[in-house]
Amino acid sequence: MSLRSRLIPLLAGILAVGALLVFSFWLSAPAGNTTAVQPLEIAFIGTTEDADCILLWQPGYTMMIDTGEEADGDAILGFLEDEGIDRIDLLVLTHPDKDHIGSAARILEAVEVGTLLEPDYTGEKKRLEEVRETADRLGVPREQLTSRWQHTAGALTVTVYPPERNDYDGENNYSLATLVEHGQVAMLFPGDAKNKRLSELMDYDWPAISLYKLPHHGRYSENSAAFLLELHPDYTVVTASQPDETLRAIGTSMGTRWYSSVGQTVRFTSDGETLTALTPAA
């Protein structure tokens, strides 16, 4: 038998064994690489009044959206301590009203903050100037957003949308809108956007939203109702005792489950595929 005739069966056998090993490895590998997705915790920290403070965290990464009133500082810092959080990688201040930035300077002093994002607001606000001065003194990088900002951390993608104009008739319309995507779970936090700002947000192509923070403390506006209908969220949180009755009826008719963060902390958890409420619905 020639050398060539002896080599052909040998090579065929080697290839067959290699293919079998590859096939066996493929069968045993987890589908979709889901083991790489770290669970994400979400908390709307309970406030004394109609104020916003939203915390999202997973091993190695924490972000906060707004910091409530000044009077909420103890509760916010107590929650961080209870959860063993001593660093906030990203702090988003949606707009300069005191019920959204009230405890920001104190939080900057108390915990390490990686990056501070704020709208490109040029009006005079004493508390906002205090926040900016505190961040600059501590060397915290801060950015006044004029263009879309995006950041990824593992399976987590954070996109912050700034207002499209540089001049509005009120602070609420300067609100930054934050989209957080954790695997297949998408959450939208639009600050206190009112009609003009909401009209901008309604022009975007949003993914299916699992969790929505109702803007402007659940007050009714034509665009707020239209945007709620457009998003069709599974869960809606209002930072007020309850939303406007018309908005609540619209959401309830779509099957959204309602939550209020006044006087209680509302919690959720995501595994990257499903968002689960840990607090009973209102």
Side-chain angles (χ1 to χ4, degrees):
M1 180 181 294
S2 68
L3 178 61
R4 181 178 178 181
S5 61
R6 290 198 301 270
L7 284 175
I8 289 176
L10 178 62
L11 289 173
I14 293 172
L15 290 173
V17 171
L20 181 61
L21 289 173
V22 169
F23 183 70
S24 298
F25 177 80
W26 176 79
L27 285 177
S28 62
N33 196 29
T34 55
T35 56
V37 178
Q38 296 279 1
L40 179 70
E41 306 298 322
I42 306 101
F44 293 75
I45 297 177
T47 56
T48 54
E49 300 291 342
D50 297 1
D52 285 31
C53 183
I54 306 160
L55 188 71
L56 303 95
W57 73 103
Q58 61 181 187
Y61 188 82
T62 299
M63 66 176 291
M64 180 179 285
I65 303 172
D66 289 331
T67 63
E69 295 266 10
E70 183 177 9
D72 296 315
D74 286 343
I76 294 169
L77 292 176
F79 188 91
L80 294 175
E81 183 178 1
D82 289 344
E83 296 296 331
I85 296 171
D86 57 9
R87 174 182 167 84
I88 297 172
D89 296 279
L90 176 63
L91 175 58
V92 179
L93 301 179
T94 60
H95 64 291
D97 282 355
K98 63 185 181 66
D99 56 342
H100 290 255
I101 67 169
S103 293
R106 185 175 176 192
I107 288 169
L108 286 165
E109 294 276 10
V111 300
E112 181 182 0
V113 175
T115 301
L116 170 64
L117 301 182
E118 56 176 300
D120 187 27
Y121 178 77
T122 56
E124 293 186 7
K125 282 279 186 175
K126 181 178 179 181
R127 192 169 298 280
L128 178 60
E129 290 306 314
E130 178 188 1
V131 172
R132 289 171 173 170
E133 290 170 4
T134 302
D136 292 344
R137 174 171 52 82
L138 295 171
V140 176
R142 63 180 180 88
E143 186 174 351
Q144 292 174 251
L145 293 189
T146 57
S147 59
R148 191 174 304 185
W149 185 96
Q150 190 169 78
H151 173 73
T152 59
L156 193 68
T157 300
V158 179
T159 308
V160 184
Y161 300 80
E164 296 178 2
R165 298 167 49 185
N166 57 16
D167 186 32
Y168 295 88
D169 57 2
E171 292 87 358
N172 289 319
N173 278 320
Y174 285 89
S175 288
L176 300 177
T178 305
L179 174 68
V180 178
E181 296 172 282
H182 180 237
Q184 299 174 26
V185 175
M187 298 157 276
L188 182 59
F189 311 96
D192 272 0
K194 294 174 71 176
N195 262 337
K196 289 182 180 179
R197 181 75 179 107
L198 286 170
S199 68
E200 298 171 356
L201 297 177
M202 290 167 67
D203 287 337
Y204 298 148
D205 185 18
W206 299 104
I209 299 297
S210 297
L211 176 61
Y212 180 50
K213 203 287 290 191
L214 199 65
H216 203 208
H217 312 284
R219 295 180 178 91
Y220 176 83
S221 72
E222 182 179 346
N223 283 347
S224 185
F227 198 35
L228 181 61
L229 278 166
E230 177 183 324
L231 294 177
H232 205 298
D234 297 319
Y235 302 96
T236 301
V237 177
V238 58
T239 54
S241 298
Q242 58 183 354
D244 172 86
E245 290 183 5
T246 300
L247 293 177
R248 186 181 184 97
I250 290 171
T252 301
S253 70
M254 298 186 301
T256 194
R257 282 152 283 185
W258 287 97
Y259 298 82
S260 167
S261 63
V262 174
Q264 69 167 348
T265 293
V266 179
R267 296 188 63 160
F268 300 85
T269 186
S270 167
D271 62 5
E273 295 184 356
T274 303
L275 183 72
T276 302
L278 304 179
T279 303

